């Protein structure tokens, strides 16, 4: 059985539709007005940003004719340097470590 509506399909009321943006704004407003949160909940939602990545291509070191083993050794050294940078070491500290 077919249900007849009082409005044809072309005349849907646009103000009755809720957009995704409006839903997000309502959610944010509800979250802001909620005063039942604790310090522990706020700490658990705290976000830490990672430092910017430092990319140094090893094209200059790899320029010219290298054997496969030389290139692989250079690549491994580059991976080690990148992992030390991810730990927060500076270039001078990396040189000291090596």
């Amino acid at each position: 059985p077919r249900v007849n509506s009082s409005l044809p399909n072309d005349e849907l009321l646009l103000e009755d539709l809720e957009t995704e943006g409006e839903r997000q704004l309502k959610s944010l407003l509800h979250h802001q007005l909620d005063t039942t949160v604790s310090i522990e909940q706020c700490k658990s939602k705290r976000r830490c940003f990672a430092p910017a990545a430092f990319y140094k291509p090893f094209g200059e070191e790899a320029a010219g004719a290298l054997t496969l083993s030389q290139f692989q050794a250079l690549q491994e050294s580059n991976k080690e340097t990148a992992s030390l940078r991810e730990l927060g070491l500076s270039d001078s500290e990396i040189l000291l470590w090596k």
Side-chain angles (χ1 to χ4, degrees), residues 47-52:
R47 293 185 181 158
C48 295
F49 293 96

Side-chain angles (χ1 to χ4, degrees), residues 7-61:
L7 294 173
N9 288 339
D10 296 337
E11 297 180 14
L12 288 174
L13 295 175
L14 293 178
E15 58 265 2
D16 291 340
L17 298 176
E18 184 180 33
T19 64
E20 181 64 28
E22 289 171 337
R23 256 184 257 137
Q24 290 288 333
L25 285 173
K26 283 182 184 178
S27 171
L28 288 171
L29 178 64
H30 177 70
H31 183 69
Q32 271 189 328
L33 295 177
D34 184 18
T35 58
T36 61
V37 295
S38 66
I39 296 292
E40 288 76 26
Q41 288 174 330
C42 291
K43 284 182 182 179
S44 70
K45 290 184 179 183
R46 181 176 167 239
R47 293 185 181 158
C48 295
F49 293 96
F54 181 78
Y55 175 71
K56 182 180 176 185
F58 62 96
E60 292 177 7
E61 294 94 2

